[in-house]
Amino acid sequence: AAAKRKRGALPAGKAKRARRAPSAGEAAPEGVPRESGVPPQEYRIPPPVSQGKWKNKERVLIFSSRGINFRTRHLMQDLRTLMPHSKADTKMDRKDQLFVINEVCEMKNCNKCIFFEAKKKQDLYMWLSNTPQGPSAKFLVQNVHTLAELKMTGNCLRGSRPLLSFDPIFDREPHYALLKELFIQIFGTPQYHPKSQPFVDHVFTFTVTDERIWFRNYQIIEEDASLVEIGPRFVLNLIKIFQGSFGGPTLYENPHYQSPNMHRRLIRLSVAAKFREKQQVKEVQKIKKKGTKVLVEEDPTEVVFETPAEEKPVEIQLVKPESKPIVKDKKKLRKIQRKKQKKLFRTEG
């Protein structure tokens, strides 16, 4: 029986030989550089990029708690698609404490974590953590739009490594500098990752506007190096930065943060204030109507321009007036009137 060959092995006697370099009189082919330290008779073929060694072994666990809606579920799936170095896990029960996530990351062999926490089936919180030492940051996620929802024209290679673009304010403030390093370690795909592609064709942008961090994903077009948005997109409102993983001493607390419960309460109070104002206006109007009217003294000059009407003599009618016939048709009424007039003329004659 023929011996089994290993995958990619060449048969005996057909070993791959190095190509011979051109002599001094011959021109070198295009695209082939001459390497220093190599004999002039031969040149080496550079190995493919994928054969590099995977040194930065960052693994990100992306999962959520129970009670999330469909939009959050699609956002998680989009992040897993864009980040080839991510891993998935089942949903965590809401009764469990958050420090249990460190044990889950250890079992999954992950050193970073993105955890989505849903509350009241309408508020979404995102935890970014460096497990198990820390630090960790808690955000309120707003204005979520997924890939399927946006339906944009851009498209990028699956598994390609992204460029990370940060706003200049990330280098000015200390808490933003800490978040920048956390974003780089979580969203940056490690070089030579087995599931990644050796291409860079999209950009993750982190922009600070209105005290919030805006996340966008753009594709790099080769022709003119312009950007086309792909998605997903969302806004992160920073709440706190903790020293440990999912807890510990508070390093920074956002003074501009307003909880969703407080925001909804202020909306209800504003609506109630408008209703209360309308009721007060109605009560004031009722009091004005019930109040006594101020009598104005008579002005003696008002009678100057009044012209009295002519007094008509009082006539007492002793004979009952004749009843008028009720006729709906106007032609018949005219005929009756003519007959009466003829009778009057005859009696007078």
Side-chain angles (χ1 to χ4, degrees):
K4 293 184 179 179
R5 299 174 183 173
K6 292 184 179 179
R7 189 174 182 181
L10 295 174
K14 294 185 179 181
K16 193 173 183 180
R17 295 180 182 178
R19 294 183 184 177
R20 207 180 150 193
S23 60
E26 298 177 358
E30 295 180 3
V32 179
R34 290 185 178 273
E35 298 182 4
S36 59
V38 181
Q41 299 296 327
E42 295 181 356
Y43 60 87
R44 296 178 182 175
I45 302 173
V49 184
S50 59
Q51 287 187 358
K53 191 174 182 181
W54 178 30
K55 296 180 180 179
N56 181 21
K57 297 191 176 183
E58 297 282 355
R59 299 181 182 89
V60 183
L61 181 64
I62 302 177
F63 72 117
S64 68
S65 64
R66 297 193 180 277
I68 61 172
N69 53 9
F70 70 97
R71 185 174 278 108
T72 308
R73 187 170 64 252
H74 289 186
L75 177 63
M76 275 199 312
Q77 189 61 37
D78 294 342
L79 290 178
R80 289 169 185 166
T81 305
L82 292 173
M83 300 164 63
H85 60 295
S86 63
K87 289 187 177 182
D89 195 19
T90 57
K91 295 179 182 178
M92 194 180 75
D93 196 355
R94 286 180 291 182
K95 296 179 182 179
D96 294 340
Q97 298 296 328
L98 290 177
F99 63 84
V100 181
I101 301 175
N102 296 325
E103 300 177 4
V104 177
C105 293
E106 186 179 356
M107 288 188 293
K108 287 285 185 178
N109 196 17
C110 296
N111 50 5
K112 300 290 185 296
C113 181
I114 299 178
F115 178 68
F116 291 94
E117 185 180 7
K119 290 185 179 180
K120 295 187 176 181
K121 297 185 179 180
Q122 54 184 346
D123 301 331
L124 178 63
Y125 298 92
M126 177 193 285
W127 285 83
L128 300 179
S129 175
N130 179 23
T131 57
Q133 293 87 10
S136 59
K138 185 180 181 181
F139 301 91
L140 174 67
V141 186
Q142 299 172 329
N143 302 334
V144 178
H145 298 281
T146 59
L147 282 170
E149 185 180 355
L150 290 175
K151 296 181 180 178
M152 293 187 173
T153 56
N155 188 16
C156 66
L157 182 66
R158 181 169 183 174
S160 60
R161 300 178 64 232
L163 293 174
L164 300 182
S165 173
F166 291 93
D167 196 275
I169 198 173
F170 278 93
D171 298 326
R172 300 173 194 163
E173 302 292 336
H175 60 282
Y176 281 130
L178 177 61
L179 291 177
K180 178 181 178 180
E181 185 62 30
L182 197 60
F183 287 147
I184 290 173
Q185 295 183 14
I186 290 178
F187 290 96
T189 303
Q191 193 176 11
Y192 304 123
H193 191 276
K195 293 183 180 179
S196 66
Q197 298 292 337
F199 302 101
V200 177
D201 58 354
H202 64 288
V203 186
F204 289 163
T205 62
F206 300 89
T207 311
V208 178
T209 306
D210 194 19
E211 305 296 336
R212 291 170 175 82
I213 301 173
W214 300 61
F215 175 87
R216 296 290 184 270
N217 181 22
Y218 296 95
Q219 179 198 359
I220 304 173
I221 300 177
E222 296 179 0
E223 286 77 10
D224 52 353
S226 60
L227 299 179
V228 178
E229 187 174 358
I230 306 173
R233 56 160 68 171
F234 52 87
V235 179
L236 299 176
N237 190 359
L238 178 63
I239 302 173
K240 285 184 180 181
I241 300 177
F242 300 96
Q243 184 178 354
S245 177
F246 296 97
T250 303
L251 299 179
Y252 176 78
E253 185 175 358
N254 187 8
H256 306 283
Y257 171 71
Q258 186 182 62
S259 64
N261 293 332
M262 181 61 67
H263 180 67
R264 287 189 288 265
R265 181 175 178 272
L266 292 177
I267 291 175
R268 289 195 301 268
L269 289 177
S270 64
V271 174
K274 289 181 181 178
F275 179 75
R276 200 179 300 113
E277 185 179 356
K278 289 181 180 179
Q279 294 295 328
Q280 290 176 358
V281 171
K282 288 182 180 179
E283 290 177 0
V284 170
Q285 290 176 353
K286 287 180 181 179
I287 293 170
K288 285 183 179 180
K289 289 179 181 179
K290 291 179 180 179
T292 56
K293 295 182 180 180
V294 180
L295 296 176
V296 183
E297 296 181 357
E298 292 183 0
D299 189 3
T301 59
E302 287 183 356
V303 199
V304 175
F305 298 100
E306 290 184 359
T307 54
E310 297 179 358
E311 295 182 359
K312 295 181 180 180
V314 181
E315 294 182 359
I316 299 172
Q317 191 175 2
L318 301 175
V319 183
K320 181 182 177 181
E322 295 181 359
S323 61
K324 296 180 180 180
I326 299 172
V327 182
K328 292 183 180 180
D329 195 356
K330 292 183 179 179
K331 292 182 179 180
K332 291 183 179 180
L333 181 62
R334 289 172 186 170
K335 288 180 180 180
I336 293 170
Q337 289 177 354
R338 287 172 186 170
K339 288 180 181 180
K340 287 183 178 180
Q341 288 176 0
K342 288 179 181 179
K343 286 182 181 179
L344 289 172
F345 286 133
R346 286 174 187 174
T347 52
E348 289 178 357

